[in-house]
């Protein structure tokens, strides 16, 4: 049954759901380049496409049908046409879905931003996306990418535009060349890596923060903490639900991914309780500045 998820208002007055579903990446492993009947699923397992893709479609469709109407995807993940199939299968009207896509790094370097977006729209079977972002601030081209995205925004191909993996200095450079403030900055955020200075800077500029890796990939240093176990027992929830609730009460949109229907239902069932201010502060203090993914100032954009 489709449930309405609470919304956040972006800086251009567009409403975005306060939690999102990110189906994740599918790649043809290098071992199978000559036979792409195999893909690598989001857990890194090599599986047959004939097995995985129908399951992938059903999973996305189920997530949308229970309230995960913010769908976060990227051209770099592959198999965009299955997103369109999942939207159709879900039975949730397009106007109730907040559809996100991103410019890949290779497309930034090539500069064919509009061409890529038009292909995405074709695969999604829609004439607009609700949020269009670039995936990484690729050195020397991300500012040009941003200017091209502004044109696409003005032309109505996207209801809002944003960025991902941007440090404060990237955002400052964007604001120097543009009057259009990114609506969203999607970065790695979780209790082991709260990024408080960046989150606070974004808030000061009216930029909503989305969190990927929001539960730190179930890192033992986090999920085994007695603090989280005790809070979870208090509210009769699991630790993942507590962490997702912490994100939401911090004004951060967590983007979660799970192929498991039971886990999807659990992840969306976080609006019937509220953490106390003391509990929020205690979870904040877990931070050890442990980045689990790539640092945009120190990474190889050609492989991301």
């Amino acid at each position: 049954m489709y449930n309405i998820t609470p919304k956040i208002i972006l800086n251009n007055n567009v409403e975005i759901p306060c939690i999102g579903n990110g189906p994740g990446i599918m790649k043809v492993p290098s071992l199978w380049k000559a036979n792409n009947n195999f893909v690598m699923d989001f857990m890194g397992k090599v599986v047959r496409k004939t097995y995985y893709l129908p399951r992938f479609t059903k999973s996305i469709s189920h997530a949308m049908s229970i309230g995960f109407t913010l769908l976060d995807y990227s051209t770099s993940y592959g198999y965009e046409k299955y997103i369109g199939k999942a939207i159709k299968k879900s039975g949730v009207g397009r106007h109730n879905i907040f559809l996100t896509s991103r410019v890949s790094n290779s497309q930034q370097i090539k500069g064919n931003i509009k061409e890529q977006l038009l292909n995405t729209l074709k695969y999604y079977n829609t004439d607009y996306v609700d949020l269009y972002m670039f995936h990484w601030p690729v050195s020397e081209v991300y500012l040009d990418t941003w200017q091209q995205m502004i044109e696409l925004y003005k032309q109505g191909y996207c209801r809002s535009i944003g960025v991902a993996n941007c440090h404060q200095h990237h955002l400052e450079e964007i604001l120097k060349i543009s009057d259009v403030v990114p609506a969203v900055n999607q970065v790695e955020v979780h209790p082991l890596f709260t990024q408080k200075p960046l989150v606070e800077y974004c808030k000061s500029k009216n930029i909503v923060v989305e969190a990927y890796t929001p539960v730190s990939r179930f890192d033992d240093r986090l999920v085994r903490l007695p603090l989280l176990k005790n809070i979870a027992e208090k509210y009769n929830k699991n630790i993942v639900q507590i962490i997702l609730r912490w994100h939401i009460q911090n004004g951060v949109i967590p983007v979660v991914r799970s192929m498991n229907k039971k886990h999807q239902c659990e992840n969306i069932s976080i609006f019937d309780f509220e953490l106390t201010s003391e509990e929020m502060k205690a979870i904040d203090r877990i931070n050890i500045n442990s980045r689990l993914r790539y640092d945009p100032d120190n990474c190889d954009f050609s492989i991301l």
Side-chain angles (χ1 to χ4, degrees):
M1 179 64 69
Y2 167 66
N3 296 306
I4 297 176
T5 305
K7 304 289 198 303
I8 292 174
I9 298 177
L10 299 175
N11 58 24
N12 64 345
N13 293 320
V14 169
E15 291 185 337
I16 182 173
C18 68
I19 188 170
N21 176 45
I25 192 168
M26 287 188 293
K27 286 185 175 180
V28 179
S30 57
L31 180 65
W32 297 99
K33 285 295 184 183
N35 180 357
N36 66 358
N37 289 322
F38 293 83
V39 295
M40 185 176 291
D41 69 13
F42 77 102
M43 293 297 291
K45 181 180 179 181
V46 176
V47 292
R48 288 185 179 273
K49 287 196 293 188
T50 52
Y51 161 77
Y52 185 74
L53 292 176
R55 182 169 173 253
F56 175 79
T57 303
K58 289 179 182 178
S59 171
I60 300 170
S61 176
H62 177 264
M64 287 189 288
S65 71
I66 63 171
F68 277 107
T69 52
L70 193 175
L71 181 60
D72 181 273
Y73 208 64
S74 171
T75 56
S76 63
Y77 295 166
Y79 301 97
E80 290 178 282
K81 65 181 179 180
Y82 288 90
I83 299 297
K85 290 182 178 181
I87 292 172
K88 183 177 181 179
K89 184 179 179 63
S90 73
V92 179
R94 173 66 183 91
H95 64 285
N96 288 320
I97 296 171
F98 194 95
L99 191 56
T100 299
S101 189
R102 289 194 285 281
V103 185
S104 70
N105 295 343
S106 62
Q107 288 157 341
Q108 284 194 65
I109 294 169
K110 292 176 182 177
N112 58 345
I113 310 304
K114 184 172 183 178
E115 178 184 347
Q116 178 270 308
L117 178 55
L118 292 178
N119 285 335
T120 293
L121 296 179
K122 180 180 178 181
Y123 284 129
Y124 287 176
N125 193 30
T126 186
D127 54 5
Y128 70 96
V129 291
D130 297 279
L131 174 62
Y132 197 47
M133 299 187 287
F134 61 62
H135 212 143
W136 291 84
V138 178
S139 304
E140 300 181 1
V141 297
Y142 76 92
L143 294 178
D144 180 65
T145 296
W146 180 250
Q147 291 175 323
Q148 291 187 56
M149 289 169 60
I150 290 174
E151 292 305 309
L152 295 173
Y153 172 58
K154 291 179 178 178
Q155 293 167 17
Y157 291 109
C158 31
R159 296 177 64 219
S160 55
I161 53 177
V163 298
N165 295 296
C166 280
H167 288 319
Q168 180 174 328
H169 71 85
H170 295 117
L171 296 170
E172 289 172 343
E173 291 301 314
I174 287 173
L175 296 180
K176 285 180 183 179
I177 65 159
S178 168
D179 291 332
V180 179
V181 179
V184 170
N185 184 21
Q186 185 182 104
V187 294
E188 178 182 343
V189 179
H190 45 78
L192 294 175
F193 189 55
T194 59
Q195 297 228 63
K196 285 295 185 181
L198 178 58
V199 171
E200 291 305 314
Y201 174 79
C202 287
K203 288 181 178 180
S204 74
K205 299 299 181 181
N206 204 12
I207 300 171
V208 170
V209 173
E210 285 185 344
Y212 68 78
T213 321
V215 295
S216 73
R217 297 189 163 191
F218 307 105
D219 193 299
D220 282 349
R221 294 172 297 173
L222 180 62
V223 298
R224 290 187 177 183
L225 288 178
L227 169 68
L228 294 178
K229 291 181 180 179
N230 291 337
I231 296 175
E233 290 177 0
K234 172 184 174 181
Y235 293 103
N236 195 28
K237 296 290 182 179
N238 61 41
I239 288 175
V240 170
Q241 289 171 310
I242 297 302
I243 296 171
L244 295 178
R245 184 70 204 184
W246 169 79
H247 279 292
I248 286 172
Q249 288 184 221
N250 272 327
V252 172
I253 298 174
V255 178
V256 294
R257 62 182 184 180
S258 174
M259 299 289 286
N260 184 292
K261 291 183 178 181
K262 177 177 180 291
H263 292 164
Q264 289 176 348
C265 290
E266 291 172 345
N267 292 343
I268 200 70
S269 300
I270 56 174
F271 301 107
D272 57 352
F273 75 103
E274 185 172 337
L275 299 172
T276 67
S277 59
E278 290 77 15
E279 289 164 343
M280 291 290 294
K281 292 175 183 177
I283 297 174
D284 285 344
R285 288 193 292 269
I286 294 172
N287 178 59
I288 54 174
N289 291 322
S290 179
R291 184 187 291 274
L292 303 179
R293 301 295 290 154
Y294 301 100
D295 182 345
D297 280 343
N298 185 28
C299 64
D300 184 350
F301 293 118
S302 67
I303 65 173
L304 298 178

